[in-house]
Amino acid sequence: MKNSSLQTVKLDIIQQITSSNDTSLINQIWNLLNSNKNVVSESQDIPYWHKSELDKRSQEFYANPTQVLNFNNAMDELEKEL
């Protein structure tokens, strides 16, 4: 799909589905297409206050990218406190 346009790929998929008599494949495609109806977008899942906190922390990091903790060292410190 790297070099093909999205429209070309979609048409190819439609052609393959149309010419297929594989009931299992058709059922799997049907289930896949219908499973997306129950998915909640990530932006709806994250509370506003959480997004604000993430934005604030990102701004702090980009303002001072050298003032960060090494993950392993931070975890070691947390484990010592517990």
Side-chain angles (χ1 to χ4, degrees):
M1 187 169 121
K2 275 185 178 180
N3 297 327
S4 301
S5 73
L6 181 58
Q7 188 65 25
T8 303
V9 172
K10 289 161 102 176
L11 290 172
D12 186 44
I13 291 170
I14 291 168
Q15 181 182 10
Q16 290 181 40
I17 292 170
T18 304
S19 64
S20 175
N21 291 320
D22 184 346
T23 307
S24 175
L25 174 65
I26 303 301
N27 285 332
Q28 289 176 2
I29 293 169
W30 180 259
N31 290 334
L32 177 64
L33 292 172
N34 288 316
S35 69
N36 288 335
K37 293 177 183 175
N38 297 324
V39 175
V40 176
S41 79
E42 289 181 23
S43 63
Q44 293 174 343
D45 246 0
I46 303 170
Y48 176 77
W49 67 268
H50 196 180
K51 291 179 196 177
S52 297
E53 185 65 26
L54 290 171
D55 290 341
K56 184 180 108 184
R57 290 182 185 193
S58 292
Q59 289 172 356
E60 289 172 1
F61 169 74
Y62 288 116
N64 301 297
T66 59
Q67 295 181 353
V68 294
L69 296 175
N70 172 290
F71 176 78
N72 292 327
N73 294 344
M75 291 303 295
D76 290 343
E77 290 297 319
L78 286 172
E79 286 175 2
K80 286 179 190 174
E81 291 178 18
L82 298 174

